[in-house]
């Protein structure tokens, strides 16, 4: 059996880390047919747009995509390819596991958190306009439908993965209507899952509690913006962005990508840590029900980390992206 998967190399460190991940995935023996498609700045030159229709069609057809980071210009320029992809393909759930990895220096130990972020609305609806010169308005959209479905995703995940508690993160003391609606939906769904504990925390307090002791949380359920910020914060518990994998899941497809961006500061230098995309690849193997291969990839990453002789600069080592890929691939096959 061979899986046809859309492969989006992306911008900056994207092509390097994705090549590394493809190398490791091929070592598992699971057969992939990669449909390489452009997106991001890399696509603009040839196709005139950051998200060409052929890329979208490829993901729609294959229902599984493996994506490198794409660059989003700050203020002005094109809209985020990630936001477009998630909306157009209705990949409504962003799943980001945050787990302490062996051998990685961190002030935190035993972190084992699941961050579930709503992916399609909130302040990412892209509705911004100038009211009068000097005054702009950005519209936050929260709907009952999207809030209920992300809550269902989180509780279903808790039930199927043996998680004990879901904590909704909000600012409903200030945004009483929008975050209030989000909480109402979460509470209604929580009642259908009596075996999973449910509680709530205000987002600023959540950040403080996380920094003090991330082990007091099990699963965090957040709207889009809070989820974006809090998941980067959580990546800091496990050695930084180079270690944090992620998945975007919808009813008709799934896209796997690391939490980190295109890191233009280190692009093209063979310095990027490929572990986050490799671990995202393991999540993709799980999604394809290739659980044994997924476990082998994770185990190989853990072994390389534990040995500590092949680490990229962000983890205090001197090894390059390609060297790490070879070391992990050797453990997968060995
Ligand atoms: P975006 O806005 O696209 O999410 P970002 O602002 O979160 O991007 P990143 O591109 O993720 O920024 O980079 C943030 C910092 O983390 C940079 O200093 C970058 O070099 C570092 N970094 C990100 N990914 C990696 C990686 N895979 N390996 C090593 N360092 C990384």
């Amino acid at each position: 059996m061979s899986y046809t998967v859309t492969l989006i190399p992306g911008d900056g460190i994207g092509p390097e880390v994705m090549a590394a991940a493809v190398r490791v995935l091929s070592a598992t023996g699971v057969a992939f047919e990669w449909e390489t498609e452009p997106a991001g700045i890399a696509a603009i030159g040839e196709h005139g747009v950051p998200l060409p229709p052929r890329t979208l069609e490829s993901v729609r057809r294959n229902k599984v995509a493996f994506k490198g980071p794409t660059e989003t210009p700050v203020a002005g320029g094109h809209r985020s390819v990630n936001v477009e992809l998630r909306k157009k393909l209705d990949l409504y759930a962003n799943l980001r596991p945050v787990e302490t990895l062996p051998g990685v220096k961190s002030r935190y130990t035993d972190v084992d958190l699941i961050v579930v972020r709503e992916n399609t609305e909130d302040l990412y609806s892209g509705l911004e306009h100038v009211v009068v010169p000097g005054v702009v308005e950005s519209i936050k959209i929260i709907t009952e439908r999207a809030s209920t479905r992300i809550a269902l995703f989180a509780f279903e995940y808790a039930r199927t993965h043996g998680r004990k508690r879901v904590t909704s993160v909000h600012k409903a003391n200030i945004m009483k209507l929008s975050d209030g609606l989000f909480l109402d939906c979460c509470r209604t769904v929580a009642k259908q899952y009596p075996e999973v504990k449910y509680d709530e925390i205000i987002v600023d307090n959540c950040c403080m509690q996380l920094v003090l002791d991330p082990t007091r949380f099990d699963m965090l359920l957040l709207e889009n913006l809070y989820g974006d910020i809090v998941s980067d914060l959580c990546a800091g518990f496990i050695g930084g962005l180079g270690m944090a994998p992620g998945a975007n899941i919808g009813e008709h497809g799934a896209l796997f990508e690391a939490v980190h961006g295109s890191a233009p500061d280190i692009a093209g230098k063979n310095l990027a840590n490929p572990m986050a995309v490799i671990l995202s690849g393991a999540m993709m193997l799980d999604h394809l029900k290739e659980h044994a291969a997924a476990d082998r990839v994770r185990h190989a990453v853990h072994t390389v980390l534990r040995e500590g002789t092949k680490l990229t600069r962000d983890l205090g080592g001197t090894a390059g992206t390609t060297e790490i890929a070879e070391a992990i691939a050797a453990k997968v096959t060995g």
Side-chain angles (χ1 to χ4, degrees):
M1 158 118 191
S2 164
Y3 300 99
T4 307
V5 172
T6 305
L7 178 74
I8 303 174
D11 299 318
I13 59 171
E16 299 163 68
V17 291
M18 295 310 284
V22 166
R23 168 76 188 92
V24 171
L25 291 180
S26 71
T28 62
V30 174
F32 286 103
E33 206 173 295
W34 301 106
E35 239 174 64
T36 305
E37 297 292 347
I41 306 269
I44 294 178
E46 201 181 325
H47 302 272
V49 283
L51 182 58
R54 54 175 286 171
T55 305
L56 264 181
E57 278 152 28
S58 170
V59 185
R60 280 205 179 103
R61 197 170 48 243
N62 298 326
K63 299 191 171 26
V64 185
F66 193 31
K67 178 182 168 295
T70 43
E71 202 176 320
T72 309
V74 175
H78 64 260
R79 283 185 67 186
S80 159
V81 167
N82 291 336
V83 173
E84 289 287 293
L85 268 169
R86 291 167 191 170
K87 279 196 177 170
K88 292 226 162 93
L89 301 168
D90 203 20
L91 302 170
Y92 66 90
N94 188 193
L95 180 64
R96 294 179 166 180
V98 184
E99 196 185 353
T100 295
L101 292 159
V104 179
K105 279 194 210 97
S106 167
R107 271 173 247 173
Y108 299 90
T109 50
D110 302 322
V111 180
D112 182 11
L113 266 173
I114 300 288
V115 180
V116 174
R117 164 190 173 194
E118 203 289 322
N119 241 350
T120 61
E121 53 181 31
D122 189 4
L123 278 161
Y124 290 61
S125 54
L127 299 171
E128 283 195 316
H129 58 261
V130 177
V131 180
V132 290
V135 182
V136 295
E137 193 171 40
S138 294
I139 299 177
K140 168 165 171 159
I141 304 281
I142 296 294
T143 66
E144 186 180 347
R145 176 177 172 269
S147 304
T148 301
R149 111 181 143 158
I150 194 67
L152 277 168
F153 178 92
F155 277 92
E156 212 34 60
Y157 185 96
R159 177 146 78 187
T160 50
H161 292 78
R163 292 276 167 172
K164 303 273 177 288
R165 185 162 58 104
V166 172
T167 304
S168 283
V169 183
H170 67 94
K171 191 78 186 172
N173 52 335
I174 305 297
M175 277 159 280
K176 294 177 193 293
L177 285 182
S178 54
D179 286 13
L181 174 61
F182 179 77
L183 285 185
D184 280 347
C185 297
C186 295
R187 287 172 194 161
T188 305
V189 170
K191 290 199 185 100
Q192 299 167 33
Y193 294 81
E195 72 276 31
V196 181
K197 284 198 195 109
Y198 172 72
D199 59 6
E200 296 165 356
I201 188 165
I202 294 179
V203 63
D204 37 0
N205 184 23
C206 176
C207 291
M208 196 264 294
Q209 299 291 344
L210 275 168
V211 170
L212 285 178
D213 180 12
T215 64
R216 56 157 297 199
F217 294 102
D218 188 353
M219 285 184 66
L220 299 175
L221 169 58
L222 312 96
E223 292 168 6
N224 207 340
L225 177 64
Y226 308 145
D228 193 3
I229 298 167
V230 169
S231 53
D232 264 34
L233 185 155
C234 289
F237 300 141
I238 55 161
L241 286 169
M243 308 304 299
N248 299 288
I249 297 170
E251 257 140 50
H252 307 291
L255 181 148
F256 298 83
E257 64 180 338
V259 172
H260 64 71
S262 60
D265 51 333
I266 56 167
K269 298 179 181 160
N270 198 33
L271 287 175
N273 184 347
M275 287 180 174
V277 284
I278 291 170
L279 292 170
S280 306
M283 291 175 81
M284 182 170 75
L285 286 168
D286 272 330
H287 176 78
L288 297 169
K289 310 233 178 312
E290 296 284 354
H291 298 299
D295 285 345
R296 270 161 60 216
V297 169
R298 275 188 285 263
H299 187 70
V301 170
H302 294 181
T303 308
V304 167
L305 284 170
R306 216 176 275 118
E307 288 176 0
T309 51
K310 291 267 162 54
L311 299 175
T312 39
R313 199 176 63 174
D314 55 315
L315 297 181
T318 54
T321 312
T322 46
E323 242 179 298
I324 303 285
E326 285 312 319
I328 297 172
K331 301 285 181 203
V332 170
T333 43

